[in-house]
Amino acid sequence: MRTNDEAEAAQIATDAYVFGYPLVTTYMTRQVMTNVARPEGIRSPVNQFANVREYPTATFTGITAPNADTLYSEGWLDLGPEPIVLSWPDMGDRYYLFPMLDAWTNVIAAPGTRTTGGGAQAYVITGPRYTGPVPADLPRISSPTDLLWVHGRTYCTGTPEDYKKVHALQDQYRLVPLSAWGKGEYKPPVSKVDPSVDMKTAVRDQVERLSPADYFALLAKLMATNGPVAADAAAMAHFARIGLVPGQPFDFSTLPPAIQRGVSNAREAGIKRIMGQDKGGGLALENGWVVMLKTGVYGTDYVQRAFVTAVGLGANDPKDAVYPFTQMDAQGAKLDGKNKYVIRFAPGAFPPARGFWSLTMYNDKWFFVANPLNRYTLSQRNTLKRNADGSTELYLQADYPGKDRESNWLPTPQGEFILMFRLYMPEEAPAFSILDGTWKPPSVQKV
């Protein structure tokens, strides 16, 4: 039964906005990332790999919070027509990960170094309505949504020599329709480019510019083939009270005036709730850093799911990667490039990760910061200078710190900025670990 109360409609619409934010964002990201005739850069047609050959720069705004530690291999799948076979060669001891995210950003599988080892592998990925056979020799991964994102990444030092080695591996990554699997070399078709897709505006801005009427109309349409799961039943009954039903048209103009007024405020209220998650919501605050240990799989924590979508679309299971971030210094003041800062690691206290660790600089929109060195991150692959006592200091400032400190310098913008650590394959208990709080990111000290 639909509500006739404006206040109730506003509350329901805000809840629905938050609930649908990952699905709408994922879909619109796919629209941008697949709107090419052939693979180029980080974009490729549906059901084809885009293998990034070098690290992104400050001009890249395709995905929020990008990294400069691994080379992406992006595959946006449509599993409606038929299953897709994913395969890759022997990776040796090189770190890699092929997480698969459904349309709601849940990680449904994460084959890679940690879980399946470095050998050559192949999987058949099926959609939610597929009832046909699958090859007996291929492990099956069942996606709950037609839209699936293979968010692959392969570690690379960024040197010309290592780029060449990684490119040779990427050239063997395959996405092949099941009907073509095992029938010789598969040549994917040339795709048509849709000129109506906005290829310049950041996807998050495109999403958040949608009117509530357009937002909910798109959400209802998308849920026809990317439906909610059983655990979402209570939420869907809640949303039906404003006329939002999976697969049924959402026509704002036909809603009662009270519901129209309530729905009209959903965008502002929804975004405020999503972005307010960094101030609570069960997130740990360690030395000023927000440590999210609930990423990748969210259950019914819809606010957390939307928040991670907004600040780090494509986040992994914490056992594969943890992403502490901060916008404040040790005194609780906003980080700002008009100041100078230092992060100090005590001897032996670098981030404990079995894969690798890094520290990335973003502007206040979660994108890379242009700088003279084209340096967006510091990590264990950098030759960091240590102090006489064995400690290591990282220098965060806009101005050049001098030759003796250049190796440890992470350039900031002139205005406010955000820092993010990445710990790939973080150590697990009983070792020194971020997963149980025995290791904490060091505070950012203003000089």
Side-chain angles (χ1 to χ4, degrees), residues 350 382-387 391-393 395 403-408:
F350 279 128
N382 293 97
T383 304
L384 300 173
K385 289 185 178 180
R386 300 194 181 197
N387 298 322
S391 65
T392 303
E393 293 176 329
Y395 307 106
K403 193 66 177 178
D404 60 328
R405 293 186 170 186
E406 180 181 307
S407 62
N408 295 31

Side-chain angles (χ1 to χ4, degrees), residues 337-385:
K338 67 184 180 183
N339 304 314
K340 297 179 181 180
Y341 304 91
V342 170
I343 293 178
R344 181 181 183 275
F345 296 107
F350 279 128
R354 289 173 293 151
F356 60 93
W357 67 267
S358 69
L359 176 68
T360 305
M361 175 71 62
Y362 298 110
N363 64 20
D364 59 354
K365 301 296 184 183
W366 293 91
F367 297 120
F368 285 157
V369 174
N371 64 83
L373 298 184
N374 291 321
R375 177 183 290 173
Y376 315 114
T377 182
L378 287 174
S379 73
Q380 62 192 59
R381 71 169 176 254
N382 293 97
T383 304
L384 300 173
K385 289 185 178 180

